[in-house]
């Protein structure tokens, strides 16, 4: 793992404790719903060993996987999660670090790639990390956001290229620089047009056509990703 990535994980843990002044934009849930969600999250996180080899092949270290709270549904999903058997579990946390949502990613190459439980409403993944950052990053998807974290960059992820909302721009107030890592395809181009309209200070990273951030990390390593935007 890179030194930059190691430093970011420490910062992630500190910022995850509480970010004063950040709008808590994640869903508000009842205490019973939070307890049920916490139990599911902890159960799947305890099985994360079953997916670390897959994630290592995607360039993500075991330390980062632990810091992000990723989990594995495995062959024994909890009641109501049968559709997510064998999926990766990805927790969404609010400004206080409390898990308030979860997304699931297929690992067998089938579709849809990402899904959620009925009623779950995912917004920006890891929005709590970028508020007030001097240099913030936006990308498509949770694994791309984690790929940028592996490179030592504070990043949030859109849960889909078409999910940008104009009010998200408020979360970047105080940032000196915003870099957008949308995929190198038509959907990524359209996402960039929407983001740049609402965030005039943003610039787009030159992600090659047909690639996304995680593919870049696997192919070029953290130094190659950072080098695309002039960082050492």
């Amino acid at each position: 793992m890179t030194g930059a990535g190691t430093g970011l994980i420490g910062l992630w843990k500190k910022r995850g404790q509480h970010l004063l002044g950040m709008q808590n934009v994640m869903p508000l849930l009842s205490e019973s719903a939070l307890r049920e969600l916490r139990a599911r999250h902890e159960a799947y996180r305890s099985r994360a060993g079953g997916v670390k080899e897959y994630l290592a092949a995607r360039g993500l270290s075991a330390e980062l996987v632990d810091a992000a709270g990723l989990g594995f549904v495995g062959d024994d999903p909890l009641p109501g999660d049968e559709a997510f058997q064998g999926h990766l579990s990805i927790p969404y946390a609010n400004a206080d670090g409390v898990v308030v949502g979860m997304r699931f990613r297929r690992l067998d190459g089938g579709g849809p790639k990402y899904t959620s439980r009925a009623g779950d409403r995912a917004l920006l993944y890891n929005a709590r990390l970028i508020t007030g950052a001097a240099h913030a990053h936006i990308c498509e998807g949770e694994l791309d956001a984690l790929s940028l974290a592996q490179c030592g960059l504070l990043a949030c992820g859109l849960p889909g290229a078409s999910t940008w909302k104009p009010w998200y721009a408020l979360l970047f107030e105080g940032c000196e620089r915003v870099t957008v890592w949308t995929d190198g395809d038509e959907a990524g181009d359209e996402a960039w047009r929407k983001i740049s309209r609402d965030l005039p200070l943003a610039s787009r990273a030159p992600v090659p056509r047909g690639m996304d951030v995680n593919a870049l990390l696997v192919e070029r390593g953290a130094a190659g990703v950072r080098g695309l935007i002039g960082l050492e």
Side-chain angles (χ1 to χ4, degrees):
M1 182 176 181
T2 66
T6 303
L8 179 71
I9 290 173
L11 177 60
W12 190 337
K13 291 177 179 177
K14 290 179 182 178
R15 291 171 72 89
Q17 296 301 313
H18 188 71
L19 296 182
L20 295 176
M22 175 182 170
Q23 300 179 56
N24 207 340
V25 299
M26 301 301 286
L28 297 177
L29 302 176
S30 67
E31 286 299 321
S32 61
L34 287 173
R35 285 194 300 270
E36 188 269 343
L37 186 56
R38 182 167 59 248
R40 287 196 299 125
H41 166 58
E42 291 175 353
Y44 296 146
R45 187 176 186 180
S46 71
R47 307 173 187 173
V51 77
K52 286 185 177 178
E53 183 176 349
Y54 168 85
L55 293 171
R58 302 291 294 266
L60 305 181
S61 70
E63 185 179 6
L64 179 61
V65 171
D66 290 340
L70 302 184
F72 184 48
V73 178
D75 295 327
D76 186 25
L78 296 179
D81 288 347
E82 291 81 7
F84 311 124
Q85 182 173 337
H87 285 45
L88 174 72
S89 65
I90 307 170
Y92 272 62
N94 66 11
D96 300 310
V98 176
V99 175
V100 294
M102 191 177 297
R103 290 245 289 169
F104 299 90
R105 189 189 191 282
R106 291 187 68 147
L107 304 179
D108 60 6
K113 186 181 295 185
Y114 287 95
T115 50
S116 303
R117 292 184 94 193
D120 281 0
R121 182 168 63 93
L123 298 174
L124 279 178
Y125 176 66
N126 276 344
R128 63 195 180 112
L129 297 184
I130 50 84
T131 297
H135 187 179
H137 301 261
I138 306 170
C139 60
E140 294 180 46
E142 296 87 348
L143 287 190
D144 276 8
L146 292 173
S147 297
L148 290 176
Q150 188 70 51
C151 300
L153 306 175
L154 286 169
C156 63
L158 293 167
S162 63
T163 59
W164 173 263
K165 296 176 175 59
W167 66 265
Y168 286 171
L170 297 174
L171 298 173
F172 298 87
E173 289 184 354
C175 296
E176 299 173 7
R177 181 180 177 187
V178 178
T179 301
V180 179
W181 300 76
T182 47
D183 296 353
D185 55 23
E186 291 185 3
D189 296 341
E190 179 60 25
W192 161 243
R193 282 191 286 271
K194 292 179 179 178
I195 295 169
S196 60
R197 178 190 62 206
D198 300 319
L199 269 178
L201 80 161
S203 59
R204 188 182 186 185
V207 176
R209 304 306 286 181
M211 298 190 75
D212 60 17
V213 175
N214 184 253
L216 282 170
L217 176 63
V218 172
E219 181 178 288
R220 305 185 186 185
V225 174
R226 293 172 62 88
L228 279 179
I229 56 171
L231 299 177
E232 295 183 355

